[in-house]
Amino acid sequence: MRAVDALMECLKAEGVEVVFGLPGGANLPTYDAFYDAGIRHILVRHEAGGGHAAEGYAKATGQVGVALGTSGPGATNLVTPICDAMMDSVPVVFLTGQVRTELLGTDGFQEADTIGITMPIVKHSVMIQHPLELPRAIHEAFHIARTGRPGPVVVDIPTDLSRADIPYEPITDVHLPGYQPTTDGNQKQIRLAAKALANARRPVMYAGGGTIGAAAELRELATSDRLPVTCTVMGLGSFPASHPQWLGMLGMHGTRTANYAMDEADLIVAVGARFDDRVTAKLSEFAPHAKFIHIDIDPAEISKNVPAHIPIVGYAANILPRLTAEYRALEPDPARLEEWWHRIDAWRTRYPLSYTESEDAEIKPQYMVQALYEATEGNAIVTSDVGQHQMWAAQHYHFDRPRQWINSGGLGTMGFGLPAAMGAKVGRPDETVVCITGDGSFQMNTQELATCAQNGIGVKVFVMNNGYLGMVRQWQELFWDRRYSQVHTGQYPDFVKLAEAYGATGMRLTDKHTLVEGMRQALAIEGPVVVDVRVAAEENVYPMIAPGQAARDMVG
Amino acid sequence: MGEPGTKELLSLEELEAAGSFRTGRKHILSILVENKPGVLTRITGLFARRGFNIDTLAVGPTDDETVSRITLTLDGAVQSIDQVTKQLHKLINVLKIRDLEPTDTMARELALFKISADGASRSEVMQVCEIFRAKIVDVSKRTLVAEVTGTQEKIDAFERMVRPFGLVEMARTGEIAIARGRAET
Ligand SMILES: Cc1cc2nc3c(=O)[nH]c(=O)nc-3n(C[C@H](O)[C@H](O)[C@H](O)COP(=O)(O)OP(=O)(O)OC[C@H]3O[C@@H](n4cnc5c(N)ncnc54)[C@H](O)[C@@H]3O)c2cc1C
Ligand SMILES: Cc1ncc(C[n+]2csc(CCOP(=O)(O)OP(=O)(O)O)c2C)c(N)n1
Ligand SMILES: [Mg+2]
C-alpha cells in the first residue's frame, strides 16, 4: 500500500479519532489518504488554530492530539503550538509535509527546515529518510508524546516518500534504547517522604500540572490527614476548589493564604510542579523555612530551581498511593496540624479574594467570571487566553475536577483560547465548553470561528472586552509610571458583527444586572456563540507579588 | 535582577557580574548516542542555549556500529553542567553520558603542526619534536609538518615551544577520552 495509507493504519492503531489540519502541496498524498480512511479530519483556517485545537483536545481528553500542516509556511505556522505544547507538557503529534527528497536543501518551493526550526521546542522529532521507516516512526512518536513527561513530537514526511508503495505490517512494539523513563518511584525515598510528612507541623502540598492525571490519588493523600493543598495555574482542578483543605492558587496572582502558607511552611510536597518563577517569585526568599519533597516524572526538574531534600522520580499516580499507605501506617497525630490550621484559617478570613463592586451597571471583570460560574453552574470546561482575563478566570471560576481548566501557562500564548475550546469540544462533545478570552487575544485566532460554524462545534466564547491589552497596561500603570505605550485597542472590531460574518451568533452584554441571564441565553443557543462583554477598562488583577519581591510582600 | 517589566536601569557591570563566568574547572563529557542524523545538532543546541562554549568536540564510531561516541570538553559551573547533563539525558537518541573525572581518565588529542623550518632552525625544530615524541610526517623546503598526540596540556606546551620558529598552521582533533581501569566509560 502507499506509505500514506500505512500512516492511516498507524493512526487508527493508535486510537486516533480526530485530527486537525490544513492541506498543501507537500502533504497532498496524506490528504488523499484521509479522503476515505475513516478518520475524522477537521479543516482549520490556520495551522496554528489546528495545533492549539490538538492541544485543547489532548488536555480535555488525556489522549494524544494530532495536528497537520504542509511544508514551509504550513510547518512554520505550527511553531507556536509546538512550543506551547512543549512548555505545558501536552502530548501532541505534529505531522508536517516536506518537499521531495531531491529538493532538500535547495530552497525548493515551500521548503523550510522544519526539524531544524523546531529542534529546541520538541520532545522529539524525526524526518523520514526512507518510506519503510514511516510506520515505526509514527508509533514511536505517539509513544514518546504520551509517556514520561508528555510533549510534542514532530514527524516530517518528504512528499515523494509518502507516495512510495510499501508492504505494511502492523507494529506492536517500539524499541527506544535511549528512552526509558523511571515511572515507579523509589520505595526508600517514598518511606523517607512519609516520615518527613508525618513529622511536619506546617506542611503544604503544592500540586502542578503533573497531577491532572492523578487527582484522585492526590486527594486521597491530602485527606488521609488535613493536609493543606494549593495548585499552580496548570494544576487547577486536580484538587477541588470547593474542598475545605483548598488554599487557592499560589504564585504571582495566587491567594495570600496560599502564598503565606508556602512562606511559613516547614515541609512542602511538590507534586508534578516545576517551581516556575511565577510561583517562586524572588527565588532566594522562596519558602525559607521549608524542606522539599519533590515528586516529578522528569529527573531534570528535580533541584532545577529549588534543591529537593527528598526527590522521588516517577508518575504521580504511581507514587502518591504508596506515599499515602506509608503515611497512614505511621499513624501521624492529626492534632499536630491544629495550630497550622488556626493560622491558615485566620489568613483565609482576613484575605479572601475581593474586589470593589461597581456602583452602577458597569460589569467588573471579576464579576464577569463569577457570573459565568453561576450561569454554567460551575460545571463547564473553561479555556482561556492570556492576560488579565486568564488570571481572573483562574481565581474566580472554582474548578472542582481535573481537565476542566485549559490554558496556556508556560508560553502564555495569546490566541490559544478559541482553538483550544474547539479541540476540547470535539473531544468532549457532551460538555459545555466556554472560552474566556480578551479583546486582544481573541483576535489572534478568530478565524477558527469559521471552523466551528462549519462543523457545528458549539463553543461559547465570552470576550472580556476592556479595550486594552490589559495585562500589559496593568504593568505600565504599576511599574512604568502609567506611560501607556501601545496598549489601547479601542472598541475594534465589532465582535457581534464579526461573529455573524463567521456564521456564529453574536451578542453583547453591558449591564451587570442582566449579565447572568444574558449568559444563560447565550449558553442555550446552538452552535458557536460570541458574547462581547463590556467590562471596566482599567481594573487590575490583585493580589499580586510584584516583580522581584517575595511572597510575603504581596500587594493588593 | 532584571525582572521583565520593571523599570530599573541595569548597569553593564551588574549584568556582567550576574552572568556565569568560566570557573577554570574543565569537564570532559563522554556521550554515547544512536548513530542517527541530527543528533549532534540536538546536543550542541542544548549547550548553546545555555550560553556554554564548547572547547573541543570529537565524534567517532564505537565498537557497536549503531552507536557513536561524542567527547566534548568545556568549562562551566558544576551546577549548570549538571542541569545540561540532565537535559541531554532527555534526548531520545542519547544512550549514556559520563562527566569524566579528569584524574580517573585517559584523555588524548592528536594535532598537526606546520612549522617554518629553513636551514638554520630546522635541526632545532626537530629537536623539540623529538623531546615531545612528535612525528615528522611531511617536509618541504621551508616547512615541516609534525604530528603530536597527548593530553591537551602537552599539545599546548608543544605549541608554545614551536611558535617562536614560525607556526604556519595548526589543526587539533579535540580530546577523546576513556575511563581508567576496568570501569566502562
Ligand atoms: C499572565 C500569566 C500569569 C501567570 N501567573 C501565575 C501564577 O500566579 N501562579 C502560577 O502558578 N502560575 C502562573 N502562570 C503560569 C506559569 O507561567 C507556569 O506555566 C506554571 O506556574 C507552571 O505550572 P506547573 O509548575 O504546574 O508546571 P507544568 O508546566 O504544568 O509542568 C508539569 C510538571 O509536572 C511534571 N509531570 C508531568 N506529568 C507528570 C506525572 N504524570 N507525574 C509526575 N510529574 C509529572 C512535569 O515533568 C513538570 O515538571 C502564569 C502564566 C501567565 C501567562
Ligand atoms: C502572542 C503574544 N503576544 C504578546 C503577548 C504579551 N501579552 C501578555 S498579556 C497581553 C494582553 C492581552 O490582552 P487581552 O487579550 O485583551 O487580555 P486582557 O489582559 O486585556 O484581559 C499581551 C499583549 C503574549 N502573551 N502573547
Ligand atoms: Mg483586553
Side-chain angles (χ1 to χ4, degrees):
Chain A
M1 64 175 66
R2 293 178 304 178
V4 283
D5 297 315
L7 167 65
M8 297 299 131
E9 293 310 312
C10 295
L11 295 180
K12 284 188 224 167
E14 289 291 344
V16 173
E17 292 164 350
V18 60
V19 303
F20 302 86
L22 195 148
N27 61 5
L28 267 172
T30 309
Y31 275 85
D32 187 66
F34 271 121
Y35 188 74
D36 50 11
I39 296 172
R40 185 172 179 203
H41 179 286
I42 292 179
L43 172 64
V44 295
R45 298 306 191 263
H46 187 299
E47 289 84 354
H52 293 311
E55 287 189 273
Y57 174 87
K59 288 192 183 199
T61 63
Q63 307 294 311
V64 178
V66 180
L68 287 92
T70 189
S71 66
T76 54
N77 274 350
L78 284 171
V79 168
T80 303
I82 292 170
C83 193
D84 193 88
M86 184 69 172
M87 292 292 274
D88 285 349
S89 306
V90 193
V92 180
V93 170
F94 293 88
L95 302 173
T96 49
Q98 184 51 276
V99 299
R100 60 180 196 273
T101 43
E102 66 185 30
L103 283 183
L104 284 172
T106 65
D107 302 326
F109 175 63
Q110 295 199 321
E111 183 189 5
D113 176 6
T114 303
I115 296 294
I117 290 169
T118 59
M119 198 169 275
I121 53 169
V122 294
K123 181 171 177 188
H124 189 55
S125 59
V126 58
M127 187 204 280
I128 302 299
Q129 312 269 336
H130 190 286
L132 287 176
E133 290 170 12
L134 183 65
R136 184 165 291 281
I138 297 297
H139 289 299
E140 286 176 355
F142 276 83
H143 177 72
I144 292 168
R146 178 192 295 128
T147 55
R149 178 176 182 165
V153 180
V154 173
V155 183
D156 199 29
I157 313 173
T159 181
D160 52 336
L161 305 187
S162 66
R163 278 179 3 222
D165 187 24
I166 60 168
Y168 171 68
E169 295 260 341
I171 287 169
T172 49
D173 63 313
V174 288
H175 177 64
L176 294 163
Y179 178 69
Q180 273 137 6
T182 307
T183 55
D184 282 345
N186 180 299
Q187 188 63 32
K188 253 178 50 206
Q189 293 291 93
I190 293 175
R191 200 164 298 145
L192 266 179
K195 251 197 212 149
L197 196 51
N199 286 319
R201 306 190 134 257
R202 298 188 307 278
V204 176
M205 299 196 56
Y206 151 44
T211 60
I212 292 294
E217 293 83 352
L218 176 72
R219 189 171 172 168
E220 195 60 27
L221 173 59
T223 54
S224 1
D225 211 331
R226 282 182 72 209
L227 302 174
V229 184
T230 177
C231 285
T232 65
V233 163
M234 302 310 293
L236 292 177
S238 71
F239 192 81
S242 55
H243 197 282
Q245 284 163 239
W246 170 245
L247 307 182
M249 176 174 97
L250 85 168
M252 180 172 276
H253 290 299
T255 62
R256 279 179 190 263
T257 306
N259 284 318
Y260 288 175
M262 294 291 281
D263 187 53
E264 293 191 10
D266 64 355
L267 181 76
I268 288 170
V269 188
V271 193
R274 57 183 178 80
F275 296 86
D276 185 81
D277 49 80
R278 293 267 135 149
V279 164
T280 61
K282 189 175 185 181
L283 197 57
S284 58
E285 289 180 35
F286 174 64
H289 312 288
K291 294 248 186 296
F292 292 92
I293 297 170
H294 194 176
I295 300 172
D296 204 289
I297 186 66
D298 182 358
E301 286 302 331
I302 306 281
S303 302
K304 184 180 79 177
N305 297 335
V306 172
H309 301 87
I310 308 177
I312 311 175
V313 174
Y315 285 129
N318 288 350
I319 293 165
L320 289 172
R322 282 154 59 210
L323 181 53
T324 308
E326 293 280 347
Y327 179 70
R328 284 192 181 142
L330 296 171
E331 297 182 10
D333 176 15
R336 79 188 191 291
L337 301 177
E338 258 165 42
E339 218 181 290
W340 186 220
W341 274 108
H342 275 306
R343 193 138 177 82
I344 291 172
D345 284 333
W347 287 323
R348 282 210 277 214
T349 320
R350 189 145 167 227
Y351 306 113
L353 281 175
S354 67
Y355 61 93
T356 321
E357 276 180 56
S358 62
E359 280 162 21
D360 49 13
E362 187 184 47
I363 300 168
K364 283 295 184 88
Q366 301 91 330
Y367 177 67
M368 171 181 160
V369 178
Q370 290 173 335
L372 191 58
Y373 183 87
E374 205 180 318
T376 54
E377 290 164 5
N379 217 0
I381 292 179
V382 179
T383 75
S384 100
D385 260 298
V386 173
Q388 292 184 308
H389 61 277
Q390 174 189 23
M391 291 298 110
W392 282 315
Q395 290 178 337
H396 295 279
Y397 199 106
H398 302 288
F399 300 98
D400 271 343
R401 58 195 164 91
R403 307 199 180 285
Q404 201 190 343
W405 164 243
I406 294 171
N407 84 133
S408 165
L411 195 62
T413 308
M414 290 171 70
F416 173 86
L418 170 64
M422 179 169 89
K425 183 69 181 172
V426 168
R428 288 266 173 266
D430 299 332
E431 307 238 16
T432 302
V433 177
V434 305
C435 167
I436 300 179
T437 182
D439 48 307
S441 298
F442 185 46
Q443 293 184 70
M444 290 207 187
N445 270 318
T446 331
Q447 77 285 343
E448 298 313 326
L449 277 178
T451 312
C452 291
Q454 186 184 17
N455 294 281
I457 302 168
V459 301
K460 316 297 171 196
V461 180
F462 293 85
V463 184
M464 187 182 278
N465 191 347
N466 52 14
Y468 276 112
L469 300 172
M471 187 55 100
V472 181
R473 185 206 55 75
Q474 173 169 347
W475 283 58
Q476 289 178 346
E477 177 187 333
L478 299 179
F479 310 117
W480 295 83
D481 300 335
R482 219 188 156 102
R483 284 152 59 95
Y484 287 174
S485 177
Q486 306 300 324
V487 288
H488 185 61
T489 51
Q491 301 298 343
Y492 300 94
D494 181 329
F495 289 112
V496 175
K497 284 188 184 154
L498 185 71
E500 284 162 3
Y502 274 118
T505 307
M507 280 173 69
R508 180 164 294 124
L509 298 173
T510 54
D511 185 330
K512 74 175 181 193
H513 302 108
T514 52
L515 182 59
V516 175
E517 190 40 43
M519 286 175 159
R520 286 205 182 103
Q521 283 168 14
L523 290 163
I525 296 169
E526 228 175 279
V529 177
V530 176
V531 187
D532 178 22
V533 185
R534 296 288 170 89
V535 300
E538 295 197 28
E539 190 76 8
N540 288 337
V541 183
Y542 287 122
M544 176 177 199
I545 308 176
Q549 301 292 304
R552 81 184 76 88
D553 304 319
M554 283 199 99
V555 294
Chain B
M1 189 182 70
E3 269 284 338
T6 50
K7 240 177 59 152
E8 81 188 282
L9 189 65
L10 299 176
S11 76
L12 278 177
E13 290 75 30
E14 275 178 301
L15 273 177
E16 280 163 12
S20 61
F21 274 121
R22 296 189 155 238
T23 54
R25 166 136 162 52
K26 172 175 156 191
H27 285 262
I28 307 173
L29 296 186
S30 171
I31 307 170
L32 289 178
V33 300
E34 288 184 89
N35 188 359
K36 294 205 166 150
V39 179
L40 185 61
T41 318
R42 284 177 210 273
I43 290 174
T44 50
L46 285 182
F47 285 97
R49 178 178 171 192
R50 290 169 178 78
F52 283 106
N53 195 5
I54 294 172
D55 290 327
T56 73
L57 174 70
V59 189
T62 62
D63 47 311
D64 177 344
E65 64 176 357
T66 64
V67 176
S68 307
R69 186 189 301 281
I70 296 174
T71 310
L72 53 84
T73 64
L74 72 164
D75 177 302
V78 183
Q79 173 87 29
S80 40
I81 295 261
D82 198 43
Q83 177 56 215
V84 187
T85 316
K86 284 176 172 176
Q87 296 294 342
L88 286 172
H89 269 296
K90 287 167 65 171
L91 296 177
I92 308 293
N93 304 128
V94 168
L95 301 170
K96 197 173 161 197
I97 305 165
R98 289 275 313 266
D99 185 353
L100 293 167
E101 193 52 53
T103 51
D104 292 337
T105 302
M106 295 296 302
R108 288 292 179 273
E109 185 175 5
L110 171 76
L112 297 171
F113 290 85
K114 187 175 287 176
I115 310 158
S116 315
D118 39 16
S121 61
R122 186 169 292 247
S123 66
E124 256 182 278
V125 172
M126 287 173 68
Q127 247 176 3
V128 174
C129 287
E130 206 169 307
I131 295 166
F132 279 84
R133 297 213 186 117
K135 242 197 298 183
I136 293 167
V137 290
D138 183 61
V139 192
S140 75
K141 244 189 170 147
R142 295 247 158 83
T143 61
L144 55 79
V145 176
E147 171 195 315
V148 206
T149 56
T151 59
Q152 246 171 32
E153 293 73 28
K154 172 177 164 185
I155 291 168
D156 291 345
F158 183 75
E159 183 193 332
R160 280 195 300 273
M161 292 302 292
V162 297
R163 205 175 258 289
F165 298 105
L167 187 52
V168 182
E169 57 181 346
M170 165 181 99
R172 296 173 64 158
T173 58
E175 278 185 319
I176 53 167
I178 211 156
R180 287 181 194 274
R182 285 181 59 188
E184 260 183 53
T185 307

